[in-house]
Amino acid sequence: MTDNKLNIQWYPGHMAKARRLMQEDMKMIDLVIEIVDARVVRSSRNPEIDKLAGQKSRLILLNKSDLSEDSENARWIQYFAAQNIGVVALDARTRTQMKKVVAAAQEACKEKIERDKRRGILNRPIRAMVVGIPNVGKSTFINSFSGKTVAKTGNKPGVTKGNQWIRVDSKLELLDTPGLLWPKFEDPVVGMHLAYIGSINDDIINKEELCMHFIEEILARFPDAFDKRYEIQCEGKEPHEIMEAIAVKKACLVKGGDPDLKRVANMILDDYRGGRLGKISIEVAE
Ligand code: G4P
Protein backbone atom coordinates (compact mmCIF):
# COMPACT_ATOMS: atom_id res chain seq x y z
CA MET A 1 0.00 0.00 0.00
CA THR A 2 1.35 3.38 -0.89
CA ASP A 3 0.63 5.77 1.93
CA ASN A 4 2.10 8.93 0.55
CA LYS A 5 -0.17 9.54 -2.39
CA LEU A 6 -1.83 12.49 -0.74
CA ASN A 7 1.47 13.93 0.24
CA ILE A 8 0.86 16.86 -1.99
CA GLN A 9 0.65 20.19 -0.29
CA TRP A 10 -2.77 21.28 -1.46
CA TYR A 11 -2.28 24.97 -1.06
CA PRO A 12 -4.60 27.31 -2.94
CA GLY A 13 -2.15 27.70 -5.83
CA HIS A 14 -2.23 23.96 -6.54
CA MET A 15 -5.99 23.85 -6.31
CA ALA A 16 -6.28 26.78 -8.69
CA LYS A 17 -3.95 25.09 -11.16
CA ALA A 18 -5.74 21.73 -10.97
CA ARG A 19 -9.05 23.51 -11.41
CA ARG A 20 -7.81 25.46 -14.43
CA LEU A 21 -6.39 22.33 -16.11
CA MET A 22 -9.64 20.51 -15.57
CA GLN A 23 -11.68 23.39 -16.95
CA GLU A 24 -9.54 23.32 -20.11
CA ASP A 25 -10.02 19.58 -20.50
CA MET A 26 -13.76 19.89 -19.93
CA LYS A 27 -14.05 21.67 -23.29
CA MET A 28 -12.91 18.53 -25.10
CA ILE A 29 -15.09 15.93 -23.48
CA ASP A 30 -18.66 14.64 -23.41
CA LEU A 31 -18.54 12.77 -20.12
CA VAL A 32 -16.93 13.17 -16.69
CA ILE A 33 -16.12 9.81 -15.07
CA GLU A 34 -15.68 10.47 -11.36
CA ILE A 35 -13.86 7.71 -9.48
CA VAL A 36 -14.53 7.41 -5.76
CA ASP A 37 -13.44 4.90 -3.14
CA ALA A 38 -16.41 2.66 -2.36
CA ARG A 39 -15.38 2.47 1.33
CA VAL A 40 -15.46 6.24 1.83
CA VAL A 41 -17.77 7.53 -0.87
CA ARG A 42 -18.43 10.87 0.82
CA SER A 43 -14.87 11.67 1.83
CA SER A 44 -13.38 10.69 -1.51
CA ARG A 45 -15.57 13.16 -3.41
CA ASN A 46 -15.13 16.87 -3.77
CA PRO A 47 -18.38 18.77 -4.22
CA GLU A 48 -16.56 21.21 -6.50
CA ILE A 49 -16.91 18.60 -9.21
CA ASP A 50 -20.53 19.71 -9.63
CA LYS A 51 -19.37 23.20 -10.49
CA LEU A 52 -16.44 22.02 -12.60
CA ALA A 53 -18.46 19.52 -14.60
CA GLY A 54 -21.22 22.04 -15.26
CA GLN A 55 -23.66 20.58 -17.76
CA LYS A 56 -21.44 17.66 -18.83
CA SER A 57 -22.82 14.14 -18.55
CA ARG A 58 -21.64 12.33 -15.43
CA LEU A 59 -20.80 8.79 -14.38
CA ILE A 60 -19.60 7.70 -10.94
CA LEU A 61 -17.44 4.62 -10.46
CA LEU A 62 -17.44 3.10 -6.97
CA ASN A 63 -13.93 1.72 -7.16
CA LYS A 64 -12.26 -0.76 -4.79
CA SER A 65 -15.70 -2.26 -4.31
CA ASP A 66 -13.87 -5.54 -3.67
CA LEU A 67 -12.97 -4.01 -0.27
CA SER A 68 -16.40 -2.60 0.66
CA GLU A 69 -19.63 -4.34 1.60
CA ASP A 70 -21.75 -5.59 -1.29
CA SER A 71 -24.95 -4.47 0.48
CA GLU A 72 -23.56 -0.95 1.01
CA ASN A 73 -22.35 -0.77 -2.60
CA ALA A 74 -25.92 -1.58 -3.63
CA ARG A 75 -27.24 1.20 -1.39
CA TRP A 76 -24.82 3.73 -2.84
CA ILE A 77 -25.89 2.69 -6.33
CA GLN A 78 -29.50 3.36 -5.34
CA TYR A 79 -28.49 6.68 -3.77
CA PHE A 80 -26.90 8.00 -6.96
CA ALA A 81 -29.50 6.43 -9.24
CA ALA A 82 -32.16 8.36 -7.29
CA GLN A 83 -30.33 11.55 -8.34
CA ASN A 84 -30.24 10.36 -11.94
CA ILE A 85 -26.47 9.85 -11.84
CA GLY A 86 -25.15 6.72 -13.52
CA VAL A 87 -23.01 4.57 -11.25
CA VAL A 88 -21.07 1.30 -11.52
CA ALA A 89 -19.28 -0.57 -8.72
CA LEU A 90 -15.99 -2.05 -9.80
CA ASP A 91 -12.51 -3.32 -9.08
CA ALA A 92 -10.42 -1.26 -11.49
CA ARG A 93 -7.64 -3.85 -11.46
CA THR A 94 -9.75 -6.12 -13.64
CA ARG A 95 -11.69 -5.57 -16.85
CA THR A 96 -14.69 -7.61 -15.72
CA GLN A 97 -16.96 -4.56 -15.50
CA MET A 98 -15.80 -3.02 -18.75
CA LYS A 99 -19.03 -3.69 -20.67
CA LYS A 100 -21.07 -2.28 -17.79
CA VAL A 101 -18.97 0.89 -17.70
CA VAL A 102 -19.25 1.39 -21.48
CA ALA A 103 -23.02 0.80 -21.31
CA ALA A 104 -23.37 3.24 -18.39
CA ALA A 105 -21.27 5.82 -20.30
CA GLN A 106 -23.60 5.48 -23.28
CA GLU A 107 -26.65 5.77 -21.09
CA ALA A 108 -25.25 8.91 -19.45
CA CYS A 109 -24.62 10.42 -22.90
CA LYS A 110 -27.77 9.22 -24.61
CA GLU A 111 -29.08 12.72 -25.32
CA LYS A 112 -25.84 13.64 -27.07
CA ILE A 113 -25.86 10.39 -29.03
CA GLU A 114 -29.45 11.15 -30.14
CA ARG A 115 -28.46 14.68 -31.11
CA ASP A 116 -25.54 13.34 -33.16
CA LYS A 117 -27.86 10.87 -34.88
CA ARG A 118 -30.25 13.63 -35.90
CA ARG A 119 -27.31 15.44 -37.48
CA GLY A 120 -26.27 12.32 -39.34
CA ILE A 121 -23.27 11.65 -37.09
CA LEU A 122 -23.21 7.96 -36.31
CA ASN A 123 -20.99 5.93 -34.04
CA ARG A 124 -18.84 8.76 -32.80
CA PRO A 125 -17.17 7.48 -29.61
CA ILE A 126 -17.95 9.21 -26.35
CA ARG A 127 -14.96 11.18 -25.11
CA ALA A 128 -14.51 11.04 -21.37
CA MET A 129 -12.18 12.34 -18.69
CA VAL A 130 -11.48 10.40 -15.51
CA VAL A 131 -11.37 12.56 -12.38
CA GLY A 132 -10.90 11.92 -8.67
CA ILE A 133 -8.81 12.66 -5.60
CA PRO A 134 -5.41 10.90 -5.33
CA ASN A 135 -5.26 7.15 -4.73
CA VAL A 136 -8.83 6.26 -5.70
CA GLY A 137 -7.57 4.20 -8.66
CA LYS A 138 -7.69 6.62 -11.60
CA SER A 139 -4.46 5.36 -13.22
CA THR A 140 -5.36 1.74 -12.50
CA PHE A 141 -8.70 2.25 -14.25
CA ILE A 142 -7.20 4.02 -17.27
CA ASN A 143 -4.47 1.40 -17.58
CA SER A 144 -6.62 -1.66 -17.23
CA PHE A 145 -9.46 -0.36 -19.35
CA SER A 146 -7.14 0.74 -22.12
CA GLY A 147 -4.91 -2.32 -21.91
CA LYS A 148 -1.87 -0.03 -21.87
CA THR A 149 0.39 1.47 -19.27
CA VAL A 150 -0.18 5.15 -19.38
CA ALA A 151 2.24 7.58 -17.78
CA LYS A 152 1.19 8.31 -14.24
CA THR A 153 1.28 12.06 -14.19
CA GLY A 154 -2.10 12.86 -12.78
CA ASN A 155 -1.06 13.19 -9.17
CA LYS A 156 0.99 16.26 -9.76
CA PRO A 157 -1.03 19.31 -10.54
CA GLY A 158 0.72 21.31 -13.16
CA VAL A 159 2.60 18.51 -14.99
CA THR A 160 2.57 18.74 -18.76
CA LYS A 161 -0.31 16.78 -20.07
CA GLY A 162 -0.21 14.63 -23.17
CA ASN A 163 -3.90 14.87 -23.99
CA GLN A 164 -3.96 11.68 -25.98
CA TRP A 165 -7.16 9.80 -26.51
CA ILE A 166 -7.17 6.19 -25.46
CA ARG A 167 -9.67 3.96 -27.15
CA VAL A 168 -11.36 1.71 -24.61
CA ASP A 169 -13.75 0.37 -27.21
CA SER A 170 -15.38 1.66 -30.37
CA LYS A 171 -17.90 3.54 -28.20
CA LEU A 172 -15.65 5.11 -25.56
CA GLU A 173 -12.39 7.07 -25.52
CA LEU A 174 -10.60 8.32 -22.42
CA LEU A 175 -8.27 11.25 -22.01
CA ASP A 176 -4.91 9.72 -21.06
CA THR A 177 -4.32 11.90 -18.00
CA PRO A 178 -6.87 11.99 -15.22
CA GLY A 179 -8.20 15.20 -13.75
CA LEU A 180 -7.03 15.64 -10.19
CA LEU A 181 -9.51 16.66 -7.55
CA TRP A 182 -8.39 17.64 -4.07
CA PRO A 183 -9.82 16.28 -0.84
CA LYS A 184 -12.03 18.43 1.38
CA PHE A 185 -9.53 18.74 4.18
CA GLU A 186 -11.52 21.39 6.02
CA ASP A 187 -13.67 18.61 7.50
CA PRO A 188 -11.56 16.61 10.02
CA VAL A 189 -13.69 13.48 9.48
CA VAL A 190 -12.68 13.48 5.82
CA GLY A 191 -8.99 13.53 6.74
CA MET A 192 -9.50 10.75 9.26
CA HIS A 193 -11.45 8.51 6.90
CA LEU A 194 -8.93 9.01 4.11
CA ALA A 195 -6.20 8.12 6.62
CA TYR A 196 -8.01 4.85 7.52
CA ILE A 197 -7.81 3.71 3.91
CA GLY A 198 -4.16 4.73 3.63
CA SER A 199 -4.63 7.74 1.37
CA ILE A 200 -2.88 10.18 3.66
CA ASN A 201 0.79 10.23 4.36
CA ASP A 202 1.01 8.24 7.58
CA ASP A 203 4.06 10.15 8.76
CA ILE A 204 2.03 13.25 9.45
CA ILE A 205 -0.58 11.57 11.63
CA ASN A 206 -0.59 9.88 15.00
CA LYS A 207 -1.28 6.27 14.05
CA GLU A 208 -2.21 5.16 17.56
CA GLU A 209 -4.83 7.85 17.88
CA LEU A 210 -6.07 7.17 14.36
CA CYS A 211 -6.38 3.48 15.15
CA MET A 212 -8.42 4.19 18.30
CA HIS A 213 -10.91 6.24 16.26
CA PHE A 214 -10.94 3.50 13.66
CA ILE A 215 -11.71 0.79 16.23
CA GLU A 216 -14.52 2.86 17.69
CA GLU A 217 -16.13 3.45 14.29
CA ILE A 218 -15.82 -0.14 13.16
CA LEU A 219 -17.20 -1.57 16.42
CA ALA A 220 -20.33 0.56 16.08
CA ARG A 221 -21.28 -1.45 12.97
CA PHE A 222 -19.31 -4.68 13.39
CA PRO A 223 -19.06 -5.51 17.11
CA ASP A 224 -17.11 -8.71 16.45
CA ALA A 225 -14.78 -7.52 13.64
CA PHE A 226 -11.71 -7.65 15.89
CA ASP A 227 -12.76 -10.66 17.97
CA LYS A 228 -12.82 -12.78 14.85
CA ARG A 229 -9.59 -11.61 13.29
CA TYR A 230 -7.44 -11.51 16.46
CA GLU A 231 -9.23 -14.04 18.67
CA ILE A 232 -9.83 -11.58 21.48
CA GLN A 233 -12.87 -10.41 23.44
CA CYS A 234 -13.77 -6.79 22.67
CA GLU A 235 -16.98 -6.56 24.64
CA GLY A 236 -16.85 -3.88 27.35
CA LYS A 237 -13.35 -2.77 26.33
CA GLU A 238 -12.27 0.70 25.33
CA PRO A 239 -10.36 1.07 22.02
CA HIS A 240 -6.98 1.39 23.77
CA GLU A 241 -7.71 -1.77 25.79
CA ILE A 242 -8.57 -3.58 22.57
CA MET A 243 -5.25 -2.50 21.08
CA GLU A 244 -3.47 -3.75 24.19
CA ALA A 245 -5.29 -7.10 24.01
CA ILE A 246 -4.33 -7.47 20.34
CA ALA A 247 -0.73 -6.56 21.18
CA VAL A 248 -0.55 -9.29 23.80
CA LYS A 249 -2.23 -11.85 21.55
CA LYS A 250 0.07 -11.06 18.61
CA ALA A 251 3.17 -10.65 20.80
CA CYS A 252 3.59 -7.04 19.66
CA LEU A 253 5.55 -6.02 22.73
CA VAL A 254 8.35 -3.62 23.45
CA LYS A 255 11.35 -4.54 25.61
CA GLY A 256 10.06 -5.06 29.12
CA GLY A 257 6.84 -6.62 27.89
CA ASP A 258 4.60 -3.57 27.44
CA PRO A 259 2.30 -3.49 24.41
CA ASP A 260 3.87 -1.92 21.33
CA LEU A 261 0.87 0.22 20.43
CA LYS A 262 2.49 1.80 17.40
CA ARG A 263 3.17 -1.58 15.82
CA VAL A 264 -0.31 -2.79 16.69
CA ALA A 265 -1.89 0.32 15.17
CA ASN A 266 0.06 -0.31 11.96
CA MET A 267 -0.97 -3.94 11.91
CA ILE A 268 -4.68 -3.23 12.45
CA LEU A 269 -4.81 -0.48 9.81
CA ASP A 270 -2.81 -2.59 7.34
CA ASP A 271 -5.17 -5.50 7.94
CA TYR A 272 -8.14 -3.26 7.17
CA ARG A 273 -6.53 -1.77 4.06
CA GLY A 274 -5.65 -5.21 2.79
CA GLY A 275 -9.23 -6.47 3.33
CA ARG A 276 -8.18 -8.87 6.10
CA LEU A 277 -10.76 -7.51 8.54
CA GLY A 278 -13.41 -8.32 5.96
CA LYS A 279 -15.25 -6.10 3.55
CA ILE A 280 -16.08 -3.00 5.55
CA SER A 281 -17.53 0.27 4.27
CA ILE A 282 -16.62 3.20 6.50
CA GLU A 283 -19.30 5.51 5.10
CA VAL A 284 -22.76 4.29 4.24
CA ALA A 285 -25.49 5.87 2.14
CA GLU A 286 -28.20 7.67 4.09
P1 G4P B 1 -4.70 7.19 -8.50
O1 G4P B 1 -4.25 7.16 -9.92
O2 G4P B 1 -6.13 7.60 -8.37
O3 G4P B 1 -3.83 7.99 -7.60
O4 G4P B 1 -4.67 5.69 -7.91
P2 G4P B 1 -3.87 4.40 -8.45
O5 G4P B 1 -4.44 3.95 -9.75
O6 G4P B 1 -2.42 4.68 -8.37
O7 G4P B 1 -4.28 3.32 -7.34
C1 G4P B 1 -3.92 3.46 -5.98
C2 G4P B 1 -3.78 2.09 -5.34
O8 G4P B 1 -5.07 1.45 -5.32
C3 G4P B 1 -2.89 1.11 -6.09
O9 G4P B 1 -2.29 0.29 -5.11
C4 G4P B 1 -3.85 0.27 -6.89
O10 G4P B 1 -3.34 -1.01 -7.22
C5 G4P B 1 -4.99 0.15 -5.91
N1 G4P B 1 -6.29 -0.09 -6.56
C6 G4P B 1 -6.82 0.58 -7.61
N2 G4P B 1 -8.03 0.11 -7.90
C7 G4P B 1 -8.29 -0.89 -7.01
C8 G4P B 1 -9.44 -1.74 -6.77
O11 G4P B 1 -10.48 -1.66 -7.43
N3 G4P B 1 -9.33 -2.61 -5.73
C9 G4P B 1 -8.22 -2.69 -4.94
N4 G4P B 1 -8.22 -3.58 -3.94
N5 G4P B 1 -7.13 -1.90 -5.14
C10 G4P B 1 -7.18 -1.02 -6.16
P3 G4P B 1 -0.81 0.49 -4.59
O12 G4P B 1 -0.58 -0.51 -3.55
O13 G4P B 1 -0.59 1.92 -4.28
O14 G4P B 1 0.05 0.20 -5.81
P4 G4P B 1 0.39 -1.24 -6.44
O15 G4P B 1 1.30 -1.87 -5.47
O16 G4P B 1 -0.93 -1.99 -6.60
O17 G4P B 1 1.02 -0.87 -7.74
Side-chain angles (χ1 to χ4, degrees), residues 2 5 63-64 66 91-92 135-140 152:
T2 311
K5 292 255 176 78
N63 193 35
K64 309 200 186 183
D66 53 301
D91 172 348
N135 211 36
V136 287
K138 298 179 296 300
S139 307
T140 307
K152 191 179 166 66

Side-chain angles (χ1 to χ4, degrees), residues 32-250:
V32 176
I33 299 181
E34 182 189 356
I35 302 196
V36 301
D37 188 305
R39 296 165 295 176
V40 288
V41 172
R42 254 180 239 106
S43 293
S44 58
R45 300 193 75 201
N46 183 327
E48 276 219 43
I49 188 62
D50 291 337
K51 234 189 296 160
L52 284 163
Q55 297 304 309
K56 296 286 175 186
S57 301
R58 303 272 291 276
L59 176 61
I60 292 184
L61 301 182
L62 300 180
N63 193 35
K64 309 200 186 183
S65 62
D66 53 301
L67 297 171
S68 58
E69 292 152 58
D70 296 335
S71 56
E72 295 306 328
N73 296 340
R75 288 184 60 204
W76 277 115
I77 289 172
Q78 268 177 8
Y79 173 92
F80 288 115
Q83 299 172 42
N84 255 332
I85 302 178
V87 53
V88 177
L90 85 158
D91 172 348
R93 296 167 308 171
T94 75
R95 290 162 63 91
T96 51
Q97 299 294 70
M98 177 144 122
K99 281 205 176 115
K100 245 187 175 170
V101 172
V102 174
Q106 280 209 300
E107 175 63 25
C109 292
K110 68 175 179 225
E111 278 168 23
K112 187 206 170 288
I113 294 169
E114 279 305 313
R115 235 180 9 250
D116 278 356
K117 252 189 209 160
R118 283 199 296 274
R119 292 180 189 152
I121 305 165
L122 295 176
N123 305 323
R124 183 154 75 184
I126 294 163
R127 290 193 150 178
M129 170 167 63
V130 171
V131 306
I133 66 164
N135 211 36
V136 287
K138 298 179 296 300
S139 307
T140 307
F141 173 76
I142 295 174
N143 288 339
S144 65
F145 273 57
S146 63
K148 288 187 207 152
T149 302
V150 175
K152 191 179 166 66
T153 50
N155 275 349
K156 295 185 192 72
V159 290
T160 315
K161 301 184 93 184
N163 282 349
Q164 298 290 326
W165 295 102
I166 298 167
R167 183 157 279 222
V168 172
D169 129 310
S170 62
K171 299 188 185 88
L172 180 63
E173 288 182 354
L174 298 178
L175 201 58
D176 62 351
T177 41
L180 190 58
L181 291 171
W182 49 98
K184 305 160 282 182
F185 280 129
E186 313 82 58
D187 179 350
V189 170
V190 169
M192 201 160 71
H193 285 182
L194 292 177
Y196 292 170
I197 63 168
S199 283
I200 295 224
N201 180 8
D202 278 341
D203 301 340
I204 59 170
I205 42 184
N206 180 330
K207 279 278 202 65
E208 287 155 64
E209 219 172 276
L210 181 74
C211 188
M212 280 192 256
H213 286 293
F214 172 75
I215 290 174
E216 204 174 320
E217 276 199 58
I218 298 300
L219 284 180
R221 291 192 53 235
F222 294 92
D224 61 354
F226 304 101
D227 299 36
K228 275 198 289 196
R229 168 80 192 160
Y230 304 111
E231 297 169 324
I232 54 159
Q233 267 289 350
C234 285
E235 209 182 334
K237 287 195 180 77
E238 293 294 324
H240 74 272
E241 294 169 320
I242 292 173
M243 286 173 71
E244 282 167 9
I246 296 172
V248 171
K249 190 81 190 181
K250 293 285 167 191

